[in-house]
Amino acid sequence: MKTTISVIKADIGSLAGHHVVHPDTMAAASKVLAEAKAQGVLIDYYITHVGDDLQLIMTHNRGELDPKVHETAWNAFKKAAEVARDLGLYAAGQDLLSDSFSGNVRGLGPGVAEMEIEERVSEPIAIFMADKTEPGAFNLPLYKMFADPFNTPGLVIDPTMHNGFKFEVLDVYEGEAVTLTAPQELYDLLALIGTPARYVIRRIYRNDDNLLASVVAIERLNLIAGKYVGKDDPVTIVRLQHGLPALGEALEAFTFPHLVPGWMRGSHYGPLMPVSQRDARATRFDGPPRLIGLGFNVKNGKLVGPSDLFDDPAFDESRRLASVIADYMRRHGPFMPHRLEPTEMEYTTLPLIQEKLKPRFKKESDMYKTKESVYTKGKSAGESQD
Ligand code: F6R
Ligand code: MG
Ligand code: MG
């Protein structure tokens, strides 16, 4: 029988700002999942958090987008949000965009990463969960894991990986997806996923046998809600070993704290810092964007584990580098490229300011009593001197 791993996450309110999930809200969600397990809807579950995002890791035999499983997650978030309201936590119920549940949680606010798999004899997986960023943040590390031999030597030296992987890439603006094969179409792939705000890796399959190797939660809340209601802090599930990236190859992809959009007010680039579960709290400048990784084995749907993958001095230097990058980026203050481009900002008063100042803008020709703008003039003068 097939096993489905469903990771469904939402920000239902947090302690002392957009900072950390409160344990009482996790306990409320846990109660709902325990009931679902007792009723046989779920085989197993594990609840965790990264920053202000509550993460429900669930296993079952009901397939992807199952109404019962999604309703269970929705009810868990609702109960957790009630507790958040009772405690006066900040932004209680933030990601629950609808009052009523309708079949599955997609489009209602929570993020979803699900995969239905035929369990291998041993099924090691890693679940990576990030706060204060967006799904495209996984483009670079997933590319490194599944397509870059400098990260994953298995692509070169393991015959069972040597034919590479294919990447399903979603254009989040058009709602269309394209599948590109690596290594054959590597440059086309990079041309798209190098624009992570628009083109997001959604699924990865092994070329040899179409084995599903990874899925990413793709919910751009700003597009769903028609207005920005929070960065859609992403999750990815990665299957490991035996013809797939080794655990260490998957983790290696996160040693470089690359710049991702999000951080303070969802409007700044900052380094993605891999941290232990203990440090999965948004602090400095509401970040820096943080990533946790949990390792499990899945056996007949049971979740064995987890291991807290970044709770390890081997990642101290990555964290140190992330802090140095955080300092460097912060020194730009409100200037780009620390601040995001206007179309990607979660908060922006820019149109209001532009509107307010509009009457005060004067034509170049009026200011300098000439028919031609000095800018244009300078340009033509420059051209004639060439
Ligand atoms: C970013 C985030 C935080 C908030 C910031 C301001 O995704 O959650 O950085 O944007 O703390 O929050 P408000 O406007 O709620 O005071
Ligand atoms: Mg939040
Ligand atoms: Mg968050």
Side-chain angles (χ1 to χ4, degrees):
M1 189 182 295
K2 287 188 172 178
T3 300
T4 307
I5 306 161
S6 301
V7 184
I8 306 189
K9 45 103 2 200
D11 179 344
I12 49 81
S14 63
L15 180 65
H18 295 274
H19 163 55
V20 71
V21 171
H22 191 286
D24 291 2
T25 62
M26 287 172 70
S30 188
K31 215 170 141 211
V32 176
L33 298 201
E35 278 160 22
K37 187 173 167 179
Q39 287 163 6
V41 175
L42 301 180
I43 300 174
D44 209 354
Y45 69 90
Y46 185 81
I47 295 187
T48 187
H49 74 89
V50 55
D52 57 12
D53 292 295
L54 178 58
Q55 309 276 349
L56 312 178
I57 299 169
M58 300 172 286
T59 51
H60 52 95
N61 293 133
R62 307 176 68 95
E64 294 170 21
L65 289 174
D66 177 72
K68 210 78 197 127
V69 171
H70 279 235
E71 190 177 15
T72 299
W74 183 254
N75 291 340
F77 291 136
K78 282 277 183 203
K79 287 285 178 205
E82 275 172 29
V83 173
R85 276 188 201 100
D86 291 347
L87 292 175
L89 299 183
Y90 193 63
Q94 175 187 286
D95 283 354
L96 308 181
L97 304 181
S98 168
D99 290 332
S100 54
F101 177 76
S102 54
N104 68 69
V105 299
R106 297 193 72 184
L108 300 183
V112 186
E114 286 186 298
M115 53 160 68
E116 187 179 39
I117 58 168
E118 198 77 66
E119 280 182 27
R120 297 169 292 164
V121 177
S122 176
E123 188 59 61
I125 61 165
I127 302 176
F128 297 103
M129 296 157 269
D131 187 31
K132 304 290 184 272
T133 186
E134 62 184 31
F138 285 128
N139 280 8
L140 189 150
L142 286 174
Y143 166 78
K144 286 168 90 169
M145 267 180 235
F146 287 96
D148 178 5
F150 282 75
N151 180 89
T152 301
L155 293 164
V156 178
I157 64 178
D158 179 350
T160 60
M161 289 178 81
H162 196 71
N163 283 334
F165 292 87
K166 48 177 158 281
F167 294 73
E168 185 182 300
V169 177
L170 178 73
D171 176 343
V172 293
Y173 284 90
E174 296 298 327
E176 295 173 350
V178 60
T179 300
L180 295 168
T181 304
Q184 293 85 343
E185 298 176 291
L186 212 52
Y187 298 158
D188 289 348
L189 175 67
L190 284 168
L192 298 188
I193 65 172
T195 308
R198 175 161 187 172
Y199 296 103
V200 183
I201 297 173
R202 180 163 65 180
R203 283 175 175 251
I204 301 174
Y205 300 87
R206 185 162 60 190
N207 284 333
D208 273 345
D209 53 3
N210 278 330
L211 179 120
L212 177 58
S214 179
V215 295
V216 178
I218 305 265
E219 312 289 334
R220 294 235 345 155
L221 284 180
N222 53 340
L223 304 180
I224 291 169
K227 64 180 174 63
Y228 217 122
V229 288
K231 280 278 170 209
D232 28 353
D233 305 314
V235 174
T236 180
I237 308 171
V238 180
R239 296 172 81 184
L240 304 164
Q241 307 287 157
H242 200 68
L244 296 173
L247 171 66
E249 289 168 334
L251 296 177
E252 183 66 14
F254 294 105
T255 50
F256 168 53
H258 67 298
L259 290 174
V260 296
W263 208 354
M264 174 56 76
R265 297 179 185 276
S267 304
H268 295 83
Y269 285 106
L272 187 63
M273 182 189 261
V275 294
S276 66
Q277 179 74 87
R278 189 180 52 256
D279 291 328
R281 298 171 296 130
T283 55
R284 182 182 179 185
F285 202 55
D286 282 0
R290 286 182 199 217
L291 175 81
I292 60 164
L294 296 183
F296 294 94
N297 268 93
V298 183
K299 187 64 187 171
N300 299 327
K302 284 270 172 213
L303 286 165
V304 181
S307 170
D308 186 356
L309 299 169
F310 295 120
D311 183 13
D312 180 354
F315 289 93
D316 283 351
E317 282 307 295
S318 303
R319 292 188 270 268
R320 201 188 62 81
L321 178 57
S323 285
V324 172
I325 296 168
D327 279 338
Y328 173 81
M329 293 304 285
R330 282 301 304 123
R331 286 175 68 180
H332 292 81
F335 283 78
M336 292 172 70
H338 180 27
R339 202 205 73 195
L340 297 190
E341 50 272 40
T343 48
E344 287 296 317
M345 286 164 70
E346 179 176 331
Y347 289 63
T348 183
T349 49
L350 205 59
L352 293 175
I353 293 170
Q354 283 168 327
E355 199 52 39
K356 184 182 78 181
L357 296 180
K358 208 171 174 184
R360 291 173 55 188
F361 273 87
K362 290 183 185 146
K363 291 243 174 299
E364 281 280 80
S365 49
D366 293 344
M367 289 175 81
Y368 291 98
K369 302 199 180 351
T370 154
K371 277 197 190 122
E372 219 178 346
S373 140
V374 281
Y375 173 67
T376 322
K377 214 173 163 185
K379 216 172 157 193
S380 50
E383 275 161 12
S384 63
Q385 277 161 23
D386 281 345

